[in-house]
Amino acid sequence: MTTKPQPPTTHRRIIVRRPSPRLAEGQVSHIPRRPVDPDLALGQWEAYVDAFRSAGWDVIELPRRDEHPDGVFVEDIAFVYGNLGLVARPGAESRRGEIDGLERHLRAAGLDVVHIHAPGTLEGGDLLKIGTTIYAGRSARTNAAGLAQLRDHVEPRGATVVEVPVTAALHLKSCVTAIPDGTPVGYPPLVEDPSVFPGLIPVPEESGAHVVDLGEGRILVAAGCPVTAARFAQLSYQVVAVDIGQFERVEGCVTCLSIRLHAGID
Ligand code: CIR
């Protein structure tokens, strides 16, 4: 693993999309379907976005696409590496239309845009970026052709792609993310091959494996992983916890509600 920094983005921005009133109809693959309260979800989403604003991030809001129940989970439709914006091709057919119009917004954010094409499928939730290493989950949503196209786009830009099998959860980032110093954190029952991740910190709560680097020593985690949050605080991180319970009901986590444009761990 190398932590050589990528070309810096000048400031921190997130791309988000307001949740659809049909969020309850979103895909669920590894958990039983449960009801979702759309009003509560909207309030949780607003608090999530506010956590970034409070940490100094600018917010780019994509147009609403209420016909897409999973449209709020924008992490899955793009991947950003330096100045490259990769438009994904979701493995879930119900999510394919979510990419419509995305290229324009990525270009407006100053990115060079490329696309994943059929037969490739790839979802951003399967990509974990630590310095110039991109851990790439091969999952039910991201296939070999998608990963080959990813390599073609990022390796000439200096990245190393490390393929990781993912069968126990939806995406790689459902199992493993990383804290800002580049150390991976994972929930052991879901990490199929821990040897892939040097120095992996095991965490005792599933949602504790989902960390967003907010910058300047701050990290965003979901409420509901207090033991893990206390551990991160001991490592001197300032932990910001947000309740995203309504999104967890449709297998979302704290990473998947935004695309981060920054130079940090992602
Ligand atoms: C899906 O199954 O596609 C959505 N219900 C949840 C997507 C969550 N994405 C993520 O964690 N990156």
Side-chain angles (χ1 to χ4, degrees):
M1 181 184 76
T2 166
T3 52
K4 185 172 142 244
Q6 297 173 57
T9 49
T10 48
H11 60 289
R12 299 189 193 101
R13 292 167 290 174
I14 49 167
I15 298 176
V16 291
R17 172 151 44 213
R18 209 161 274 269
S20 163
R22 293 176 49 192
L23 177 64
E25 298 166 49
Q27 297 277 340
V28 285
S29 314
H30 294 81
I31 56 173
R33 186 169 289 284
R34 288 184 289 165
V36 172
D37 178 333
D39 294 329
L40 194 49
L42 180 59
Q44 291 180 348
W45 179 83
E46 285 169 344
Y48 174 90
V49 174
D50 277 347
F52 283 88
R53 278 207 185 92
S54 301
W57 293 58
D58 290 331
V59 177
I60 300 168
E61 190 174 334
L62 296 176
R64 296 179 71 138
R65 296 296 303 275
D66 288 352
E67 70 277 28
H68 288 293
D70 282 317
V72 69
F73 300 120
V74 288
E75 171 175 67
D76 296 326
I77 60 171
F79 175 66
V80 175
Y81 184 78
N83 293 327
L84 182 73
L86 177 71
V87 177
R89 182 167 181 269
E93 279 196 42
S94 67
R95 301 198 56 185
R96 296 252 164 94
E98 292 176 26
I99 65 169
D100 294 351
L102 179 61
E103 173 166 354
R104 183 166 61 83
H105 295 280
L106 296 182
R107 283 197 195 287
L111 300 171
D112 301 332
V113 178
V114 295
H115 290 254
I116 297 293
H117 296 286
T121 64
L122 179 141
E123 295 191 1
D126 275 317
L127 303 179
L128 169 63
K129 186 173 57 185
I130 303 180
T132 57
T133 300
I134 300 169
Y135 295 96
R138 186 162 165 182
S139 70
R141 300 290 181 86
T142 296
N143 66 14
L147 291 179
Q149 292 176 41
L150 171 74
R151 283 181 198 279
D152 288 345
H153 290 303
V154 298
E155 285 181 348
R157 293 177 180 247
T160 302
V161 177
V162 178
E163 190 175 316
V164 186
V166 175
T167 57
L170 180 58
H171 291 123
L172 173 63
K173 276 166 137 170
S174 314
C175 320
V176 180
T177 62
I179 53 178
D181 71 359
T183 307
V185 297
Y187 181 60
L190 300 181
V191 184
E192 285 159 59
D193 182 1
S195 70
V196 174
F197 301 101
L200 180 81
I201 297 178
V203 296
E205 295 142 324
E206 185 170 341
S207 63
H210 313 144
V211 176
V212 173
D213 177 2
L214 282 177
E216 291 153 11
R218 292 163 299 193
I219 57 176
L220 185 70
V221 298
C225 56
V227 179
T228 309
R231 176 117 191 246
F232 292 148
Q234 276 167 4
L235 294 172
S236 298
Y237 290 108
Q238 184 187 329
V239 179
V240 178
V242 286
D243 182 358
I244 54 156
Q246 296 302 302
F247 301 100
E248 290 171 338
R249 286 172 171 244
V250 275
E251 260 180 296
C253 62
V254 79
T255 67
C256 61
L257 294 167
S258 57
I259 302 165
R260 278 81 50 195
L261 308 181
H262 67 145
I265 296 294
D266 214 316

